[in-house]
Each structure stands twice: as C-alpha cells, then as structure tokens.
Amino acid sequence: MKIYLVGGAVRDQILGIPISDRDWLVVGSSPQEMIRLGFQQVGRDFPVFLHPVTKEEYSLARIDRKIGSGHTGFQCFSSPSVTIEEDLYRRDLTINAIAKTTKNKTIDPFFGIKDIQKRIIRHVSNAFSEDPIRVLRTARFYAKLSEYYFTIYHKTWKIIEEMVQQEDLKTVSKERVWIETKKALSTSSPDLYFKMLFQCGALSVLFPEIQIILTKSFKKKSSLTSFIDQKEYIFLVIKKSALLTKSIEVRFAALCSNFTVFFYDNHMSNSKEKKINSAVQMVRSFCDRMRVPTKTKKLSVAIAKVHQNVQNIQNSCSKEVIKIFDQMDVWRKPKNIDQLITVCKAHYIVKNRLELGCYYPQGELLMKIFKKVSKSSLKIDFQKMKNKEIRGTILKNRLKIIEKVMNLKKIRKNHLR
C-alpha cells in the first residue's frame, strides 16, 4: 500500500497559499483492507474512505471509463493494480494532477508544476471533453487562481468551446451546478467565473436568466447604469460585493440584485409595484430553478425587492423606510440590514465609479435609523396591551422615530447650504 497527497492540496502547497482540505490517494489496496484498517467507507459509487482519526478522505486509485452521455456516464474501475500515473491521468487539469508521497517526493507525470510556474490552466488529456462538469470546474479555478495571474491555455479553451456546442452540458444536474457556483462565489474573483462562462457560451445553457440581462437590448437605459456598459456593470457589482464581504449568500444576492436594476426600469407598466414584482419574480424563479438553498433565496429575493429604494432613502417617507425594514425581516434578523447595505454599496460604488472605502451616505442613514428605532422599541410598556394594540403601538413609535431622524437630516442638510 502506498499513500499520496493529491489534487488541490498539492497545487496550493506549491503556490504557497492556505490549504483548506487535504485529499489522499491510496494505491495497491482494496476496500476490504481499508475497512480492516479502521477506515469508514462513505463513497457508494466511488471507493472513498474516512480516516479513523483525522476524518480526511482517502480514495482508492481508480480509472474512469466513458460508457454513456453526460456527467454521470462513467464506469469506475478500482483495483490494487491501478497505478498512481493512471489515476492522475483521469483528472481534469495538470495543476490538479500532481501527487506527493509521505516522504515528500513529487509525482508529476503531466508537468503540472511547470504549468503552475507558467500560471497556465491546462487540460491533462483530450479525455477532458468527456465530462461536462469540467467546464464549470475550469471556470471556478480561473476565478480562484486569477489573483495569481493564471490564464486558460488556448487549446483547453478551444476544447471548452467545442464542449459547449454539445448537448452534454445540459445533462449536468442543477444541484451540481450550484455546488460549483457556491465554491466559485467563495473565491476572490467570483465575477470571473460568470464572465468565463459567458465568453465560452456556457452561461446561456447553465444560467439563461443571467445571459438575458447581459445581452438583452433594453429600450430604456437603467437609471443606475446611465454612464456604464451593461455587461461591465453586472460583472463589477459581483466583483465589488466580493471585495466588501466574504459571505456567499450576500455575494449571490448581489448577483441577483442586477435583475431589478434592468427589468425594473424597463417594465412596461407604470405601476411601481408591478415593476418590482415582475423583476423579483425573475429572481425567485431563478433561485427555484437552480435549487438555491432557502436561506440564500430568501435573502436574494428580499434584497431584490428593496435595494433600489435604499439608493433614494434620503427622499423616502417613514412608511417607505418601515417597508424596507419589514421586507428585510430586520426585527428578527438584525444582521440583514448589514447585508442589504453591502449589496447597495456595491451598486453605489459601481454607478459612481468610486473606491471601495468610499463614504456611502444612504447606507449610513439607513443604519442610523435602524439603530434608533431598535433601541426605542425596548422602552415601551406592553404589559397591559393586547396583541393588536401592541403591534399598532410599535408601528406608531417606529414611524415617529424615523420621522424625527429624517427631519433632523433635512435640517442639517439645509443648514449646510
């Protein structure tokens, strides 16, 4: 039995960046021997085991054979006779096809170290085209490694473009697309994930809703994007949100907030409510189709409803401000206000071409109002009140506080003039 450290852990070790997970490959063993040694088998379709102490994953060396269409059309063959080179050959990219022995000896049959040094993302072999999920994985690694100046090898790019023309990309499950997208959203440049998929043509297959807002020619220019290219605006909002927060949920909400920027201003109806509902429904349908987790979906839908109103908060009445708070459910989830302001600030920065650390007046005003209202609500005596009366008193008190803060803001503004 021989044990190797493989994949991303070796790649990141060579790059000198933190290693999040370590995957191990076992050559010359069998499932029976692994179980006898105390390992717990967790892979139903693949021979994957958990270490009895560290709980890290140990996989038996295997060969994958293409027997059908799509991402699942493979037959897995595992045997003690499978070599380390054969296992590495089935991997997608040369930078992920490097192994290290327990004595720190490197196994690099496909020159992955050389590609790391040259900052190239290159396919291992032409078998790369057999698995459509590799289009998403390449986009994800491009987003992850772009800060280290990695580029996609031109022949790999050509293969990806050819893969997009095939029907196999449509066979990737929504759940798997979300897994790759979630990982991409956690990288330093999630905007490049979507940009690469757009450039190779995969976005129209995997994310047709995003493709529409990137390519649709709107009759009316959005009020938020009057001085900036439509595609540039959308990608920049994702980029800036990633610089403002590490939260995957907020970054995804920032992506979805672009729907209301373009479809709100271009909706045929004169009714403000119908415009908002139409745009928000697109966000809701997009999340449902992508099997987005409920928590992430709720945040994205809520922010899509109100984020444009925040940009005009200084001219809003108290009832409009309360509506923002209610729709964001900030009374039960106070951190939602920070998440909303983060997305709104991303739009503000992009629209006005400002630096990341710029002053965001609308966000400061909204937070100030929320803090004042939250504190004031605790001073009310509810003991002798009925439920309906309590709700009415709380609302009346909140509206009064908001009016006071808003009027004070206006007084100070007029005084400065």
Side-chain angles (χ1 to χ4, degrees):
M1 178 193 291
K2 292 182 180 180
I3 298 176
Y4 301 87
L5 181 67
V6 294
V10 180
R11 178 200 65 230
D12 293 348
Q13 194 177 78
I14 294 169
L15 280 168
I17 61 179
I19 299 171
S20 55
D21 296 301
R22 297 193 302 174
D23 294 322
W24 300 90
L25 183 70
V26 182
V27 175
S29 185
S30 65
Q32 294 76 17
E33 183 180 15
M34 295 294 286
I35 293 171
R36 182 169 55 81
L37 292 172
F39 286 79
Q40 178 187 354
Q41 186 166 359
V42 292
R44 184 182 65 180
D45 301 320
F46 304 113
V48 181
F49 302 82
L50 295 181
H51 190 280
V53 178
T54 66
K55 301 304 178 182
E56 291 179 325
E57 287 191 358
Y58 284 66
S59 303
L60 294 182
R62 71 177 193 262
I63 298 172
D64 296 333
R65 294 194 179 100
K66 185 75 171 177
I67 58 171
S69 62
H71 172 59
T72 58
F74 290 88
Q75 184 179 59
C76 172
F77 172 73
S78 177
S79 166
S81 64
V82 177
T83 66
I84 178 65
E85 289 80 10
E86 287 175 322
D87 184 277
L88 294 176
Y89 180 79
R90 70 177 176 79
R91 296 173 185 265
D92 50 9
L93 304 168
T94 60
I95 59 175
N96 296 333
I98 311 169
K100 276 193 173 183
T101 68
T102 52
K103 294 183 178 180
N104 215 35
K105 180 184 176 182
T106 302
I107 312 295
D108 184 22
F110 307 107
F111 309 105
I113 295 176
K114 186 177 179 181
D115 283 341
I116 289 174
Q117 292 169 342
K118 289 185 174 183
R119 300 299 196 255
I120 293 173
I121 299 174
R122 185 201 308 259
H123 61 289
V124 170
S125 70
N126 288 334
F128 177 92
S129 63
E130 294 178 351
D131 188 352
I133 201 68
R134 288 172 173 173
V135 174
L136 283 160
R137 281 175 57 82
T138 302
R140 172 162 65 85
F141 286 120
Y142 178 54
K144 175 184 173 69
L145 300 172
S146 62
E147 63 178 307
Y148 302 100
Y149 307 104
F150 274 75
T151 57
I152 300 172
Y153 186 55
H154 67 280
K155 289 186 179 179
T156 304
W157 183 262
K158 186 177 180 181
I159 292 175
I160 288 173
E161 288 184 319
E162 291 172 354
M163 290 172 69
V164 172
Q165 300 302 316
Q166 306 301 318
E167 294 295 315
D168 274 8
L169 201 58
K170 295 179 181 178
T171 67
V172 180
S173 69
K174 301 298 184 295
E175 290 80 5
R176 188 56 196 271
V177 173
W178 172 249
I179 288 172
E180 292 299 324
T181 302
K182 183 179 178 180
K183 289 179 179 179
L185 286 167
S186 71
T187 67
S188 59
S189 303
D191 55 303
L192 295 183
Y193 170 78
F194 295 101
K195 186 175 286 188
M196 193 212 110
L197 294 176
F198 174 70
Q199 290 172 341
C200 73
L203 199 72
S204 61
V205 179
L206 300 168
F207 303 99
E209 298 90 346
I210 302 175
Q211 178 78 14
I212 289 174
I213 61 173
L214 282 169
T215 59
K216 184 176 174 64
S217 179
F218 294 109
K219 293 180 180 180
K220 179 184 175 184
K221 198 76 172 179
S222 172
S223 58
L224 275 181
T225 63
S226 302
F227 307 105
I228 193 168
D229 176 75
Q230 184 174 317
K231 297 184 188 69
E232 182 188 2
Y233 183 93
I234 292 168
F235 289 129
L236 277 176
V237 167
I238 304 169
K239 181 178 182 178
K240 297 302 181 182
S241 70
L243 293 171
L244 290 168
T245 179
K246 291 185 178 181
S247 167
I248 292 171
E249 287 78 16
V250 179
R251 291 178 176 189
F252 183 75
L255 165 67
C256 291
S257 67
N258 285 300
F259 286 99
T260 47
V261 170
F262 293 97
F263 283 94
Y264 173 84
D265 279 354
N266 287 274
H267 195 275
M268 296 300 292
S269 174
N270 290 322
S271 166
K272 181 178 179 180
E273 187 176 352
K274 285 184 178 180
K275 287 182 177 185
I276 292 175
N277 290 340
S278 176
V280 170
Q281 184 54 44
M282 287 199 68
V283 176
R284 189 178 284 110
S285 299
F286 173 55
C287 291
D288 288 340
R289 191 184 67 79
M290 291 305 304
R291 312 285 200 276
V292 172
T294 302
K295 181 182 175 183
T296 306
K297 173 189 170 182
K298 284 184 176 180
L299 181 66
S300 298
V301 169
I303 289 178
K305 286 180 180 179
V306 304
H307 82 93
Q308 292 218 76
N309 295 332
V310 175
Q311 306 298 358
N312 193 41
I313 190 72
Q314 67 276 10
N315 298 316
S316 300
C317 67
S318 56
K319 289 184 178 180
E320 289 171 333
V321 176
I322 278 288
K323 191 173 182 180
I324 291 174
F325 290 153
D326 288 343
Q327 289 180 328
M328 288 303 302
D329 196 17
V330 296
W331 314 119
R332 293 191 309 117
K333 301 173 183 177
K335 72 173 185 178
N336 281 7
I337 197 72
D338 294 294
Q339 296 173 329
L340 169 62
I341 291 172
T342 296
V343 173
C344 293
K345 185 175 182 178
H347 283 280
Y348 182 79
I349 290 171
V350 174
K351 177 192 174 185
N352 297 289
R353 298 182 180 273
L354 299 172
E355 296 296 321
L356 199 66
C358 71
Y359 172 62
Y360 179 42
Q362 291 90 334
E364 184 182 275
L365 177 58
L366 188 66
M367 181 58 77
K368 183 179 181 179
I369 294 171
F370 175 66
K371 286 181 177 179
K372 289 280 187 182
V373 172
S374 298
K375 289 179 180 179
S376 67
S377 298
L378 300 174
K379 298 176 182 178
I380 300 173
D381 183 11
F382 299 121
Q383 290 183 357
K384 297 181 180 181
M385 294 183 181
K386 295 180 180 180
N387 290 339
K388 188 175 181 180
E389 190 179 359
I390 289 173
R391 288 193 295 269
T393 303
I394 290 175
L395 176 60
K396 186 177 179 180
N397 183 68
R398 286 171 176 171
L399 290 171
K400 185 178 178 181
I401 295 296
I402 294 171
E403 288 283 358
K404 186 176 180 180
V405 176
M406 297 291 282
N407 288 334
L408 184 62
K409 181 77 176 176
K410 290 174 183 177
I411 290 170
R412 286 177 178 173
K413 186 177 180 182
N414 291 331
H415 178 71
L416 289 173
R417 287 178 181 175

